[in-house]
Amino acid sequence: MPRRKLIDIVGDQDLVFTTPDASVREVAEQMTAHHVAAILVVEDSVLKGVFTERDLLQRVVAAGLDTVNTSMNQVMTPDPISLDARQTGFEAVRTMYEEGVRHIVVTGLTGGYGVVSMRDFLGSEMADYEKEIEFQSHIWEDI
């Protein structure tokens, strides 16, 4: 399905949320129980940040922080990159590549937010993106 809209990818998602004051330990347990690699940090229905497996590894484990006494507001990614639900998976892949991230928050959904991951694009969007990169490389070689 080339050029799928983000709403079609995340439409039936059961998102996992947490609060800024939740401990890393609590959130890691939530992520494990729900089999997710990213969790949205929300306060009063407002998105404050995102916390991912990469954040856990780099900002907590590698930094030697205590998972019980470290809260989300200390280690989450604030103001995460987001795209509107009407944009395409191809645009999400391009944004992930350009920004060096693996997750993007999807906005403009009835009921709030969604999250797309690089794992969601192991098919057509990734192939399309690789074709575009190859095409651009050929153009620059010809110039």
Side-chain angles (χ1 to χ4, degrees), residues 49-71:
V50 65
F51 185 73
T52 67
E53 290 172 327
R54 183 185 256 182
D55 294 329
L56 178 62
L57 180 64
Q58 293 178 347
R59 295 181 180 171
V60 179
V61 176
L65 298 179
D66 177 5
T67 61
V68 174
N69 295 310
T70 302
S71 64

Side-chain angles (χ1 to χ4, degrees), residues 13-135:
Q13 238 178 24
D14 288 326
L15 280 181
V16 184
F17 297 92
T18 192
T19 60
D21 61 341
S23 75
V24 170
R25 174 75 180 226
E26 293 168 334
V27 172
E29 288 171 353
Q30 255 188 301
M31 291 169 71
T32 300
H34 293 279
H35 307 286
V36 296
I39 189 166
L40 297 178
V41 182
V42 176
E43 186 173 47
D44 299 325
S45 300
V46 176
L47 179 67
K48 297 296 182 176
V50 65
F51 185 73
T52 67
E53 290 172 327
R54 183 185 256 182
D55 294 329
L56 178 62
L57 180 64
Q58 293 178 347
R59 295 181 180 171
V60 179
V61 176
L65 298 179
D66 177 5
T67 61
V68 174
N69 295 310
T70 302
S71 64
M72 282 295 99
N73 60 11
Q74 295 172 278
V75 292
M76 69 182 181
T77 300
D79 303 316
I81 296 168
S82 64
L83 292 174
D84 185 88
R86 294 169 296 196
Q87 291 181 271
T88 65
F90 180 83
E91 292 167 305
V93 169
R94 179 187 357 232
T95 302
M96 287 180 200
Y97 177 78
E98 290 172 353
E99 299 293 333
V101 298
R102 296 179 185 157
H103 297 88
I104 291 182
V105 175
V106 179
T107 60
L109 296 167
T110 304
Y113 305 99
V115 175
V116 289
S117 164
M118 194 57 89
R119 293 179 189 138
D120 293 321
F121 303 111
L122 297 178
S124 62
E125 287 89 355
M126 189 61 84
D128 286 350
Y129 183 70
E130 288 171 356
K131 287 178 189 174
E132 181 174 304
I133 293 296
E134 184 177 324
F135 176 73

